[in-house]
PDB file of all heavy atoms in Angstrom:
ATOM      1  N   ALA A  25       4.020  17.755   0.547  1.00 96.00           N
ATOM      2  CA  ALA A  25       5.260  18.332   1.068  1.00 96.00           C
ATOM      3  C   ALA A  25       5.698  19.542   0.255  1.00 96.00           C
ATOM      4  O   ALA A  25       6.882  19.824   0.132  1.00 96.00           O
ATOM      5  CB  ALA A  25       6.371  17.271   1.060  1.00 96.00           C
ATOM      6  N   GLY A  26       4.725  20.304  -0.283  1.00 89.00           N
ATOM      7  CA  GLY A  26       5.090  21.379  -1.185  1.00 89.00           C
ATOM      8  C   GLY A  26       4.743  22.771  -0.726  1.00 89.00           C
ATOM      9  O   GLY A  26       4.988  23.739  -1.446  1.00 89.00           O
ATOM     10  N   GLY A  27       4.185  22.907   0.477  1.00 79.00           N
ATOM     11  CA  GLY A  27       3.726  24.214   0.932  1.00 79.00           C
ATOM     12  C   GLY A  27       4.846  25.149   1.364  1.00 79.00           C
ATOM     13  O   GLY A  27       5.971  24.720   1.633  1.00 79.00           O
ATOM     14  N   LEU A  28       4.500  26.436   1.462  1.00 74.00           N
ATOM     15  CA  LEU A  28       5.485  27.456   1.834  1.00 74.00           C
ATOM     16  C   LEU A  28       5.745  27.514   3.334  1.00 74.00           C
ATOM     17  O   LEU A  28       6.833  27.885   3.762  1.00 74.00           O
ATOM     18  CB  LEU A  28       5.002  28.833   1.353  1.00 74.00           C
ATOM     19  CG  LEU A  28       4.938  29.043  -0.157  1.00 74.00           C
ATOM     20  CD1 LEU A  28       4.278  30.383  -0.467  1.00 74.00           C
ATOM     21  CD2 LEU A  28       6.330  28.990  -0.766  1.00 74.00           C
ATOM     22  N   GLY A  29       4.742  27.186   4.154  1.00 68.00           N
ATOM     23  CA  GLY A  29       4.931  27.271   5.599  1.00 68.00           C
ATOM     24  C   GLY A  29       5.165  28.690   6.073  1.00 68.00           C
ATOM     25  O   GLY A  29       6.078  28.957   6.846  1.00 68.00           O
ATOM     26  N   GLU A  35      11.937  29.172   9.910  1.00 68.00           N
ATOM     27  CA  GLU A  35      12.593  27.938   9.480  1.00 68.00           C
ATOM     28  C   GLU A  35      12.507  27.730   7.967  1.00 68.00           C
ATOM     29  O   GLU A  35      13.396  27.133   7.374  1.00 68.00           O
ATOM     30  CB  GLU A  35      11.937  26.732  10.180  1.00 68.00           C
ATOM     31  CG  GLU A  35      12.143  26.691  11.690  1.00 68.00           C
ATOM     32  CD  GLU A  35      13.384  25.910  12.080  1.00 68.00           C
ATOM     33  OE1 GLU A  35      14.026  25.339  11.190  1.00 68.00           O
ATOM     34  OE2 GLU A  35      13.688  25.884  13.271  1.00 68.00           O
ATOM     35  N   THR A  36      11.430  28.191   7.348  1.00 68.00           N
ATOM     36  CA  THR A  36      11.153  27.789   5.969  1.00 68.00           C
ATOM     37  C   THR A  36      11.735  28.710   4.910  1.00 68.00           C
ATOM     38  O   THR A  36      11.493  28.503   3.720  1.00 68.00           O
ATOM     39  CB  THR A  36       9.625  27.673   5.738  1.00 68.00           C
ATOM     40  OG1 THR A  36       9.001  28.926   6.077  1.00 68.00           O
ATOM     41  CG2 THR A  36       9.037  26.565   6.588  1.00 68.00           C
ATOM     42  N   HIS A  37      12.510  29.716   5.282  1.00 73.00           N
ATOM     43  CA  HIS A  37      13.114  30.552   4.252  1.00 73.00           C
ATOM     44  C   HIS A  37      14.216  29.804   3.514  1.00 73.00           C
ATOM     45  O   HIS A  37      14.612  30.196   2.417  1.00 73.00           O
ATOM     46  CB  HIS A  37      13.669  31.855   4.853  1.00 73.00           C
ATOM     47  CG  HIS A  37      14.799  31.675   5.814  1.00 73.00           C
ATOM     48  ND1 HIS A  37      14.634  31.105   7.064  1.00 73.00           N
ATOM     49  CD2 HIS A  37      16.120  31.977   5.712  1.00 73.00           C
ATOM     50  CE1 HIS A  37      15.801  31.074   7.682  1.00 73.00           C
ATOM     51  NE2 HIS A  37      16.722  31.587   6.888  1.00 73.00           N
ATOM     52  N   LEU A  38      14.704  28.693   4.078  1.00 79.00           N
ATOM     53  CA  LEU A  38      15.754  27.908   3.437  1.00 79.00           C
ATOM     54  C   LEU A  38      15.329  26.492   3.058  1.00 79.00           C
ATOM     55  O   LEU A  38      16.042  25.823   2.312  1.00 79.00           O
ATOM     56  CB  LEU A  38      16.981  27.818   4.365  1.00 79.00           C
ATOM     57  CG  LEU A  38      17.753  29.117   4.609  1.00 79.00           C
ATOM     58  CD1 LEU A  38      18.860  28.888   5.616  1.00 79.00           C
ATOM     59  CD2 LEU A  38      18.309  29.671   3.309  1.00 79.00           C
ATOM     60  N   LYS A  39      14.206  26.042   3.572  1.00 88.00           N
ATOM     61  CA  LYS A  39      13.795  24.652   3.330  1.00 88.00           C
ATOM     62  C   LYS A  39      12.279  24.553   3.338  1.00 88.00           C
ATOM     63  O   LYS A  39      11.599  25.397   3.931  1.00 88.00           O
ATOM     64  CB  LYS A  39      14.377  23.740   4.415  1.00 88.00           C
ATOM     65  CG  LYS A  39      13.840  24.021   5.810  1.00 88.00           C
ATOM     66  CD  LYS A  39      14.474  23.130   6.877  1.00 88.00           C
ATOM     67  CE  LYS A  39      15.888  23.556   7.182  1.00 88.00           C
ATOM     68  NZ  LYS A  39      16.434  22.857   8.368  1.00 88.00           N
ATOM     69  N   PRO A  40      11.712  23.538   2.684  1.00 92.00           N
ATOM     70  CA  PRO A  40      10.262  23.347   2.753  1.00 92.00           C
ATOM     71  C   PRO A  40       9.849  22.920   4.159  1.00 92.00           C
ATOM     72  O   PRO A  40      10.638  22.309   4.898  1.00 92.00           O
ATOM     73  CB  PRO A  40      10.000  22.237   1.733  1.00 92.00           C
ATOM     74  CG  PRO A  40      11.298  21.520   1.596  1.00 92.00           C
ATOM     75  CD  PRO A  40      12.375  22.534   1.831  1.00 92.00           C
ATOM     76  N   LYS A  41       8.636  23.226   4.520  1.00 93.00           N
ATOM     77  CA  LYS A  41       8.154  22.966   5.876  1.00 93.00           C
ATOM     78  C   LYS A  41       8.348  21.519   6.331  1.00 93.00           C
ATOM     79  O   LYS A  41       8.765  21.280   7.468  1.00 93.00           O
ATOM     80  CB  LYS A  41       6.681  23.368   5.958  1.00 93.00           C
ATOM     81  CG  LYS A  41       6.095  23.360   7.353  1.00 93.00           C
ATOM     82  CD  LYS A  41       4.647  23.824   7.277  1.00 93.00           C
ATOM     83  CE  LYS A  41       3.982  23.854   8.634  1.00 93.00           C
ATOM     84  NZ  LYS A  41       2.542  24.195   8.526  1.00 93.00           N
ATOM     85  N   PRO A  42       8.085  20.507   5.486  1.00 95.00           N
ATOM     86  CA  PRO A  42       8.269  19.122   5.950  1.00 95.00           C
ATOM     87  C   PRO A  42       9.712  18.748   6.269  1.00 95.00           C
ATOM     88  O   PRO A  42       9.960  17.696   6.854  1.00 95.00           O
ATOM     89  CB  PRO A  42       7.745  18.286   4.770  1.00 95.00           C
ATOM     90  CG  PRO A  42       6.790  19.196   4.079  1.00 95.00           C
ATOM     91  CD  PRO A  42       7.416  20.547   4.174  1.00 95.00           C
ATOM     92  N   MET A  43      10.669  19.617   5.898  1.00 95.00           N
ATOM     93  CA  MET A  43      12.070  19.330   6.198  1.00 95.00           C
ATOM     94  C   MET A  43      12.543  20.019   7.469  1.00 95.00           C
ATOM     95  O   MET A  43      13.717  19.912   7.838  1.00 95.00           O
ATOM     96  CB  MET A  43      12.946  19.746   5.016  1.00 95.00           C
ATOM     97  CG  MET A  43      12.722  18.906   3.759  1.00 95.00           C
ATOM     98  SD  MET A  43      12.924  17.134   4.042  1.00 95.00           S
ATOM     99  CE  MET A  43      14.712  17.059   4.273  1.00 95.00           C
ATOM    100  N   ILE A  44      11.650  20.717   8.161  1.00 94.00           N
ATOM    101  CA  ILE A  44      12.001  21.263   9.470  1.00 94.00           C
ATOM    102  C   ILE A  44      12.258  20.099  10.422  1.00 94.00           C
ATOM    103  O   ILE A  44      11.492  19.138  10.461  1.00 94.00           O
ATOM    104  CB  ILE A  44      10.870  22.166  10.005  1.00 94.00           C
ATOM    105  CG1 ILE A  44      10.703  23.385   9.106  1.00 94.00           C
ATOM    106  CG2 ILE A  44      11.134  22.586  11.440  1.00 94.00           C
ATOM    107  CD1 ILE A  44       9.524  24.259   9.472  1.00 94.00           C
ATOM    108  N   ILE A  51      10.528  16.484   9.976  1.00 97.00           N
ATOM    109  CA  ILE A  51       9.218  15.991  10.400  1.00 97.00           C
ATOM    110  C   ILE A  51       8.658  15.033   9.360  1.00 97.00           C
ATOM    111  O   ILE A  51       7.901  14.109   9.693  1.00 97.00           O
ATOM    112  CB  ILE A  51       8.248  17.150  10.704  1.00 97.00           C
ATOM    113  CG1 ILE A  51       7.011  16.619  11.443  1.00 97.00           C
ATOM    114  CG2 ILE A  51       7.888  17.921   9.448  1.00 97.00           C
ATOM    115  CD1 ILE A  51       6.125  17.692  12.045  1.00 97.00           C
ATOM    116  N   CYS A  71       6.122  17.331  -3.930  1.00 97.00           N
ATOM    117  CA  CYS A  71       6.980  18.476  -3.651  1.00 97.00           C
ATOM    118  C   CYS A  71       6.507  19.727  -4.366  1.00 97.00           C
ATOM    119  O   CYS A  71       5.754  19.665  -5.332  1.00 97.00           O
ATOM    120  CB  CYS A  71       8.416  18.176  -4.085  1.00 97.00           C
ATOM    121  SG  CYS A  71       9.193  16.890  -3.123  1.00 97.00           S
ATOM    122  N   GLY A  72       6.994  20.858  -3.898  1.00 94.00           N
ATOM    123  CA  GLY A  72       6.726  22.137  -4.531  1.00 94.00           C
ATOM    124  C   GLY A  72       7.832  23.105  -4.173  1.00 94.00           C
ATOM    125  O   GLY A  72       8.923  23.056  -4.727  1.00 94.00           O
ATOM    126  N   TYR A  73       7.578  23.942  -3.176  1.00 92.00           N
ATOM    127  CA  TYR A  73       8.560  24.920  -2.712  1.00 92.00           C
ATOM    128  C   TYR A  73       9.842  24.233  -2.243  1.00 92.00           C
ATOM    129  O   TYR A  73       9.816  23.365  -1.382  1.00 92.00           O
ATOM    130  CB  TYR A  73       7.938  25.738  -1.571  1.00 92.00           C
ATOM    131  CG  TYR A  73       8.889  26.659  -0.856  1.00 92.00           C
ATOM    132  CD1 TYR A  73       9.373  27.806  -1.469  1.00 92.00           C
ATOM    133  CD2 TYR A  73       9.289  26.380   0.450  1.00 92.00           C
ATOM    134  CE1 TYR A  73      10.243  28.662  -0.801  1.00 92.00           C
ATOM    135  CE2 TYR A  73      10.153  27.226   1.129  1.00 92.00           C
ATOM    136  CZ  TYR A  73      10.626  28.361   0.500  1.00 92.00           C
ATOM    137  OH  TYR A  73      11.493  29.197   1.169  1.00 92.00           O
ATOM    138  N   ARG A  74      10.960  24.617  -2.873  1.00 92.00           N
ATOM    139  CA  ARG A  74      12.282  24.073  -2.544  1.00 92.00           C
ATOM    140  C   ARG A  74      12.283  22.536  -2.497  1.00 92.00           C
ATOM    141  O   ARG A  74      12.895  21.910  -1.629  1.00 92.00           O
ATOM    142  CB  ARG A  74      12.801  24.654  -1.229  1.00 92.00           C
ATOM    143  CG  ARG A  74      13.057  26.167  -1.303  1.00 92.00           C
ATOM    144  CD  ARG A  74      13.781  26.682  -0.086  1.00 92.00           C
ATOM    145  NE  ARG A  74      14.001  28.114  -0.165  1.00 92.00           N
ATOM    146  CZ  ARG A  74      15.058  28.698  -0.747  1.00 92.00           C
ATOM    147  NH1 ARG A  74      15.978  27.937  -1.319  1.00 92.00           N
ATOM    148  NH2 ARG A  74      15.180  30.014  -0.764  1.00 92.00           N
ATOM    149  N   GLY A  75      11.599  21.939  -3.457  1.00 93.00           N
ATOM    150  CA  GLY A  75      11.504  20.484  -3.499  1.00 93.00           C
ATOM    151  C   GLY A  75      12.842  19.792  -3.657  1.00 93.00           C
ATOM    152  O   GLY A  75      13.004  18.642  -3.251  1.00 93.00           O
ATOM    153  N   TYR A  76      13.829  20.498  -4.231  1.00 94.00           N
ATOM    154  CA  TYR A  76      15.150  19.883  -4.407  1.00 94.00           C
ATOM    155  C   TYR A  76      15.780  19.515  -3.072  1.00 94.00           C
ATOM    156  O   TYR A  76      16.599  18.591  -2.999  1.00 94.00           O
ATOM    157  CB  TYR A  76      16.078  20.835  -5.183  1.00 94.00           C
ATOM    158  CG  TYR A  76      16.380  22.128  -4.462  1.00 94.00           C
ATOM    159  CD1 TYR A  76      17.430  22.218  -3.545  1.00 94.00           C
ATOM    160  CD2 TYR A  76      15.616  23.268  -4.700  1.00 94.00           C
ATOM    161  CE1 TYR A  76      17.700  23.403  -2.878  1.00 94.00           C
ATOM    162  CE2 TYR A  76      15.888  24.448  -4.038  1.00 94.00           C
ATOM    163  CZ  TYR A  76      16.921  24.518  -3.124  1.00 94.00           C
ATOM    164  OH  TYR A  76      17.186  25.686  -2.458  1.00 94.00           O
ATOM    165  N   VAL A  77      15.393  20.196  -1.993  1.00 94.00           N
ATOM    166  CA  VAL A  77      15.931  19.865  -0.669  1.00 94.00           C
ATOM    167  C   VAL A  77      15.486  18.459  -0.268  1.00 94.00           C
ATOM    168  O   VAL A  77      16.265  17.674   0.296  1.00 94.00           O
ATOM    169  CB  VAL A  77      15.479  20.900   0.380  1.00 94.00           C
ATOM    170  CG1 VAL A  77      15.970  20.509   1.773  1.00 94.00           C
ATOM    171  CG2 VAL A  77      15.975  22.293   0.008  1.00 94.00           C
ATOM    172  N   ILE A  78      14.239  18.118  -0.577  1.00 96.00           N
ATOM    173  CA  ILE A  78      13.721  16.785  -0.263  1.00 96.00           C
ATOM    174  C   ILE A  78      14.399  15.737  -1.140  1.00 96.00           C
ATOM    175  O   ILE A  78      14.795  14.668  -0.661  1.00 96.00           O
ATOM    176  CB  ILE A  78      12.188  16.759  -0.442  1.00 96.00           C
ATOM    177  CG1 ILE A  78      11.528  17.707   0.561  1.00 96.00           C
ATOM    178  CG2 ILE A  78      11.642  15.340  -0.267  1.00 96.00           C
ATOM    179  CD1 ILE A  78      10.032  17.859   0.393  1.00 96.00           C
TER     180      ILE A  78
END
Side-chain angles (χ1 to χ4, degrees):
L28 293 173
E35 294 269 356
T36 56
H37 65 290
L38 292 176
K39 65 182 74 170
K41 189 178 180 185
M43 293 305 289
I44 295 174
I51 193 168
C71 293
Y73 172 71
R74 295 190 181 273
Y76 64 86
V77 177
I78 296 175

